[in-house]
Amino acid sequence: MSPRARRRQRGTGLILVLGIGLLVMGMAALAHFMFKTALNTSGRHLATEQSLHLAEQGVDETIAIIDGNPFFNTDATLGAMPGGDLTPAQEETWVRAVLAAAPASAVQTAPGGQVITIKPSNRYVIYSAGYVPSRAAARRVRVVKSEYLPESTFSPAHALLAGGDLTVSGNPTVSGLGGSVHTNGNLMISGSPSVAGDVTAAGTMSQSGSPIVGGIKAAGVPAVDIPSIDPRTVWNRHARSPRYAGNWWDLCPDGSVRLPDGTAPCGGSVVAASATTTAFRGWRLSGSAWTVSGNDGSFHGIYYAYQRDIRVSGMPGSSGTPWRATLIAEAQETGASGGCSVLSRGDVDISGNARMTGFLEGLSLMAGRDLKISGTPSQGLAGVMAAHEQFAVSGTPNLIGSIIAEAECDSAGSLTHASSVSGNMSVTYDSDLEIPAGDEVRTTLWLEL
């Protein structure tokens, strides 16, 4: 090969080497770009997921706080939510404005970022924002809304349900589709009761007389779960609900009547300083009991006797226009004995001719201790009637709904010492009733703003 040809070959090789080098460098740059793009995309995805996780964590922690303190809210730090109905656009505008103006004290630091939670006092709703890596230098922000109901409900499956022993005597009638009787204790039957459904006991059953039972009759069956019959839980969950604004009154031990706008019963605004001599909406405090002895059934609402008894001996309401009222009496715990709380007050005694139906979601009567019902054939009470300890029903009252006694415990000085039904009472079971019993917080809606 001539020198000239060798020089030409060396030039071609150099160009080829340079071209290959440039190609390798280009491929390396492309690979670096693709890697960096993938890394950024992965980082953005991770930050997005992390911000959502932080927002959900804020909701969960707030629900846990509400479970122990139903009155928790952030109004003092973040301001109150506007009243009335807001459009979705107005709601989102308000939430984002609050988040933008939130002080540093409202920011919670969590692994991976920060959280701000908004809990208005006038809504069953929580707003939570998650910031990654921080609010001040946020690469990603997610805001979620969670609506909830501060309650669980209980639908009684029996017309008569007792946690302890139950005595059924005389000629009572339990009717209605599925109208049945059950006790988690022992059942004693005498006389000629008539029960459309089953008669069952988790304990023993003794019988005399000629009972008529439409379903099965059995002892030793499994016990039935009975929710906590606790007036304070109902107050905590519902007293300050906008649903009952203007229809709830606390009847207090000092004779005053107050609105439920405080943090506990009888800690709110006074609407009547003394109802011992001058009645408030038909109610007077007489001794240890708040009493209704008149016949005016136009004062509808929820009446909560705090650490006092309730006694109705008048004839409020009529068959065509019943008194729409829920009567609740909270007992006072004075000690403990044998694993049971020793309670004072908290009894509900209905002895008149009241025609009434529950104002609060199917609940008509709730006693923090004992419930006693007696009356005449024209009496009509509708709803769930519940006692923390025992119930006693006698005479000839005409009831619609369900009667429940939660506990086997019995406090000295209460209205009755064992659950019983006697006389010619009649109860028609209503399977559609639900009452607010229990203390769970139930989420009803979740969405991202």
Side-chain angles (χ1 to χ4, degrees), residues 246-266:
N247 293 299
W248 187 299
W249 291 273
D250 288 348
L251 309 177
C252 305
D254 61 358
S256 66
V257 180
R258 297 171 181 259
L259 296 178
D261 53 7
T263 58
C266 290

Side-chain angles (χ1 to χ4, degrees), residues 217-299:
K217 185 169 59 175
V221 303
V224 172
D225 288 336
I226 301 176
S228 174
I229 306 301
D230 180 14
R232 180 61 69 91
T233 296
V234 177
W235 195 96
N236 286 343
R237 298 302 181 193
H238 299 284
R240 300 205 305 179
S241 167
R243 186 184 313 174
Y244 303 116
N247 293 299
W248 187 299
W249 291 273
D250 288 348
L251 309 177
C252 305
D254 61 358
S256 66
V257 180
R258 297 171 181 259
L259 296 178
D261 53 7
T263 58
C266 290
S269 305
V270 176
V271 293
S274 178
T276 54
T277 55
T278 302
F280 175 82
R281 296 178 65 87
W283 290 90
R284 285 188 177 89
L285 178 61
S286 176
S288 63
W290 280 93
T291 65
V292 171
S293 57
N295 303 328
D296 191 340
S298 64
F299 298 121

Side-chain angles (χ1 to χ4, degrees), residues 2-26:
S2 66
R4 185 176 182 178
R6 283 196 296 271
R7 286 195 298 272
R8 187 182 299 117
Q9 188 177 29
R10 284 197 298 270
T12 302
L14 181 61
I15 293 172
L16 182 62
V17 170
L18 289 173
I20 293 174
L22 290 173
L23 178 62
V24 171
M25 290 175 62

Side-chain angles (χ1 to χ4, degrees), residues 18-190:
L18 289 173
I20 293 174
L22 290 173
L23 178 62
V24 171
M25 290 175 62
M27 292 177 65
L30 178 62
H32 177 73
F33 174 78
M34 293 177 66
F35 174 76
K36 186 175 181 179
T37 300
L39 188 62
N40 289 339
T41 301
S42 177
R44 287 194 296 269
H45 178 73
L46 180 62
T48 298
E49 291 302 312
Q50 181 67 15
S51 60
L52 180 60
H53 174 74
L54 288 167
E56 291 176 332
Q57 180 179 326
V59 170
D60 292 341
E61 290 180 354
T62 303
I63 287 178
I65 294 172
I66 293 170
D67 211 19
N69 176 17
F71 305 114
F72 171 77
N73 65 79
T74 57
D75 287 7
T77 303
L78 302 177
M81 188 173 186
D85 295 330
L86 301 180
T87 67
Q90 290 172 329
E91 178 186 26
E92 183 171 351
T93 298
W94 178 80
V95 170
R96 296 197 180 278
V98 170
L99 292 173
S105 60
V107 180
Q108 305 172 59
T109 299
Q114 293 182 321
V115 181
I116 296 177
T117 303
I118 306 170
K119 170 60 189 81
S121 63
N122 59 344
R123 296 286 197 283
Y124 291 143
V125 64
I126 300 165
Y127 304 96
S128 181
Y131 302 87
V132 174
S134 67
R135 183 195 184 197
R139 295 201 311 268
R140 284 291 179 271
V141 181
R142 303 284 285 275
V143 181
V144 300
K145 170 187 176 181
S146 178
E147 293 183 357
Y148 67 93
L149 285 177
E151 63 184 356
S152 61
T153 59
F154 172 71
S155 182
H158 304 81
L160 301 176
L161 175 61
D165 294 344
L166 174 63
T167 299
V168 178
S169 61
N171 302 296
T173 300
V174 179
S175 59
L177 184 62
S180 59
V181 176
H182 176 84
T183 174
N184 287 339
N186 301 320
L187 178 62
M188 288 69 70
I189 307 175
S190 62

